[in-house]
Amino acid sequence: MREMTCITCPNGCMLKVEEGEGGIRVTGNKCRRGEDFALAEVRHPMRTISSTVPTVFPDFPVVPVRVTGEIPKERIFDVMDEINQVTLKVRAGRGDVVIPDVLGLGVDVIVTSNMLKCP
């Protein structure tokens, strides 16, 4: 049995997930989203990443970035390795792509601030 807290709605239900011969059983959820969350977390957990990348601009030596969607949990360190290889050499703004389709995962790494847009 595995216990987890559902994070899909404000209820924060304490879920119990049991795997058996009949499949996966989820209890403790107050709504369907809790069951869906637990099943996804057990079968194929996904995460998002937020980080920073260095720039060549002394006024803003780093800018915040994030991925545009969820990635498999087991690929977090691979994606971070890619992010850590980037240095921004152009003034980029919110939503500008830093790494398109990172590692072929179907998500981009984008800038999340406009602080570099103004010289």
Side-chain angles (χ1 to χ4, degrees):
M1 183 180 62
R2 192 171 157 188
E3 292 184 355
M4 62 182 70
T5 303
C6 180
I7 59 171
T8 58
C9 77
N11 287 327
C13 298
M14 282 301 302
L15 308 175
K16 292 184 180 175
V17 183
E18 297 179 78
E19 295 183 66
E21 292 178 20
I24 300 172
R25 182 172 166 231
V26 179
T27 58
N29 54 304
K30 295 179 183 172
C31 69
R32 174 70 189 198
R33 291 185 294 174
E35 182 177 358
D36 294 342
F37 168 78
L39 293 173
E41 192 64 18
V42 168
R43 291 179 180 149
H44 195 208
M46 301 289 281
R47 298 291 186 268
T48 62
I49 294 177
S50 296
S51 186
T52 58
V53 295
T55 78
V56 297
F57 304 102
D59 51 340
F60 294 104
V62 296
V63 294
V65 297
R66 69 171 174 85
V67 291
T68 56
E70 293 183 328
I71 62 168
K73 182 179 175 184
E74 67 271 10
R75 300 299 305 270
I76 289 174
F77 292 108
D78 299 331
V79 172
M80 282 305 303
D81 287 343
E82 292 295 310
I83 291 172
N84 290 334
Q85 293 179 35
V86 172
T87 298
L88 273 181
K89 296 177 180 147
V90 297
R91 290 198 176 266
R94 182 177 295 125
D96 289 345
V97 176
V98 176
I99 306 172
D101 192 19
V102 64
L103 299 173
L105 295 172
V107 298
D108 300 329
V109 176
I110 61 169
V111 175
T112 62
S113 170
N114 278 329
M115 63 189 191
L116 265 183
K117 275 291 193 187
C118 306

